[in-house]
Amino acid sequence: MELKEKNLKYLLILSMVSVIMLFAGLTSACIIRSSGNDWIDLEMPKFFLISTILIIISSISFHICIYYSKKKKFLLSNIFIIVSMGLGILFLISQFYGFYELVLDELYFTGSNSVVSSSFTYVIAICHLIHVVVTIIIIFIVFFINIRKNIVNPLSYRLSCTFWDFLGILWIYLYVFLLIQ
């Protein structure tokens, strides 16, 4: 394995560990705080389930992209990376619809009408959302660099896909955590 590839994989692992630490802290705080008298059980927004399905399908699409990039089938690889990014954007949209559902249920992030459990739901979901937005931007950059150079760099797609899968698994964990909390 070449030194550059090794270093990039190390940086990817380091970033995933730091994200795990962030969400471990948030979910731990949520568990501790849930023993309070002011904690209420929330019904999870239906759009959070839809977003879970979207991120799973997006990961599958991304793996198909990787498959075609290894076969040097650039057109098919590019089609599936576009599909993955589109599904990622739909994930973001469905998250906002999920927040809208919380507001319709009069569960706010902050203010006199907010409750602790809804605030934690917003914080956890928004933190994940920020990571998804940044990752989609990175995937767009990788995609456009590959288009400009008229190549497909399997390493850049593999690393992006690994982090995308990580965010997908993280969202599934967070969704289930918030569902049972």
Side-chain angles (χ1 to χ4, degrees):
M1 181 183 320
E2 154 183 341
L3 183 61
K4 180 181 177 183
E5 182 176 344
K6 203 175 197 178
N7 288 340
L8 289 172
K9 286 182 178 183
Y10 176 74
L11 288 172
L12 178 67
I13 291 168
L14 186 63
S15 65
M16 289 190 298
V17 168
S18 65
V19 170
I20 288 170
M21 290 171 56
L22 168 69
F23 285 100
L26 287 173
T27 54
S28 296
C30 189
I31 290 168
I32 291 167
R33 191 63 180 85
S34 67
S35 63
N37 294 335
D38 56 349
W39 188 271
I40 63 166
D41 292 332
L42 302 179
E43 183 176 331
M44 287 301 291
K46 289 172 186 37
F47 274 96
F48 281 8
L49 175 61
I50 292 169
S51 63
T52 304
I53 294 166
L54 287 169
I55 206 163
I56 290 169
I57 296 170
S58 178
S59 282
I60 292 167
S61 174
F62 213 144
H63 281 277
I64 295 170
C65 163
I66 302 274
Y67 170 79
Y68 284 123
S69 74
K70 288 178 183 174
K71 298 260 185 210
K72 305 280 188 219
K73 296 191 176 193
F74 304 131
L75 178 63
L76 289 171
S77 178
N78 288 337
I79 288 170
F80 280 98
I81 195 71
I82 291 168
V83 168
S84 298
M85 289 185 291
L87 289 167
I89 291 168
L90 288 175
F91 171 87
L92 297 174
I93 293 167
S94 67
Q95 291 282 287
F96 282 107
Y97 276 109
F99 297 143
Y100 181 68
E101 281 183 80
L102 290 171
V103 170
L104 288 178
D105 290 338
E106 297 182 0
L107 298 167
Y108 303 102
F109 176 59
T110 187
S112 59
N113 292 332
S114 69
V115 293
V116 176
S117 50
S118 68
S119 295
F120 269 105
T121 300
Y122 279 104
V123 167
I124 289 170
I126 289 170
C127 281
H128 184 267
L129 196 68
I130 290 167
H131 285 87
V132 170
V133 168
V134 170
T135 304
I136 289 173
I137 291 169
I138 291 168
I139 294 169
F140 267 116
I141 291 168
V142 166
F143 172 71
F144 284 115
I145 287 172
N146 286 333
I147 292 291
R148 190 181 53 144
K149 292 182 177 180
N150 199 25
I151 61 163
V152 172
N153 181 344
L155 175 64
S156 63
Y157 279 176
R158 262 194 340 266
L159 294 173
S160 300
C161 184
T162 299
F163 198 74
W164 189 252
D165 286 345
F166 167 73
L167 288 177
I169 291 166
L170 178 64
W171 175 251
I172 292 167
Y173 159 74
L174 294 171
Y175 176 74
V176 170
F177 174 82
L178 293 170
L179 197 62
I180 63 175
Q181 193 57 29

